[in-house]
């Protein structure tokens, strides 16, 4: 549902606010209280009918304990952006990995994934302490 005149990016960001708020089990009232707005204002943010300022979006990300960049996940970069730049690729991959790690069920699973990544990175560097690949 796109409110009349709402910019598609405002709607996407608002949808993500609602998604992460509900994942955290937080009510609109509680989020509003934490960031200093009414629950009606949170409703308008979530619908995209009111734009969220940069400072308010940072407050919301802190309240929801998420990286502020997650609100923009899936929004295409400008055409001028060099999507093939190595640092851009690394940043995008790190962002995706962080978002996926947040979805893992518990700390034990997260620790296992980190251990796997370390093992793969160690092997890739060739610093595998003399162990040979099978």
């Amino acid at each position: 549902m796109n409110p009349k005149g709402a910019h598609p990016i405002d709607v996407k960001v608002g949808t993500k606010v609602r998604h992460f708020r509900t994942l955290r089990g937080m009510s609109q009232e509680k989020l509003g209280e934490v960031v200093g707005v009414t629950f009606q204002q949170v409703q308008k943010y979530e619908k995209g009918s009111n734009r969220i300022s940069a400072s308010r979006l940072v407050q919301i990300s802190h309240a929801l304990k998420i990286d502020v960049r997650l609100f923009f996940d899936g929004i295409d970069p400008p055409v001028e952006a060099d999507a093939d730049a190595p640092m851009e690729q690394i940043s995008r991959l790190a962002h995706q990995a962080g978002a996926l790690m947040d979805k893992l069920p518990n700390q034990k699973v997260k620790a296992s994934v980190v251990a796997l990544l370390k093992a793969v990175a160690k092997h890739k560097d060739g610093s595998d302490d003399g162990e040979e690949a099978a």
Side-chain angles (χ1 to χ4, degrees), residues 19-123:
H19 170 76
F20 290 116
R21 178 185 57 76
T22 57
L23 276 179
R24 296 287 184 248
M26 187 181 286
S27 68
Q28 290 176 330
E29 291 85 356
K30 181 63 178 172
L31 179 58
E33 179 182 312
V34 172
V35 300
V37 299
T38 64
F39 80 90
Q40 292 96 335
Q41 184 63 43
V42 173
Q43 286 176 334
K44 291 176 183 180
Y45 288 156
E46 290 182 355
K47 289 178 184 174
S49 55
N50 281 16
R51 287 188 174 167
I52 307 172
S53 69
S55 57
R56 181 76 69 210
L57 198 57
V58 169
Q59 288 177 313
I60 292 170
S61 74
H62 289 182
L64 298 174
K65 297 178 174 51
I66 62 166
D67 187 326
V68 71
R69 293 174 292 185
L70 289 175
F71 294 120
F72 301 99
D73 194 30
I75 296 174
D76 294 330
V79 175
E80 307 86 47
D82 184 6
D84 293 327
M87 288 308 296
E88 178 70 23
Q89 288 177 330
I90 291 169
S91 177
R92 191 178 316 113
L93 289 172
H95 174 68
Q96 290 171 342
L100 292 170
M101 285 290 283
D102 195 41
K103 293 179 181 180
L104 294 177
N106 59 52
Q107 283 303 117
K108 187 174 181 179
V109 173
K110 290 177 184 181
S112 296
V113 170
V114 170
L116 173 65
L117 289 171
K118 285 180 180 179
V120 170
K122 193 175 190 181
H123 178 71

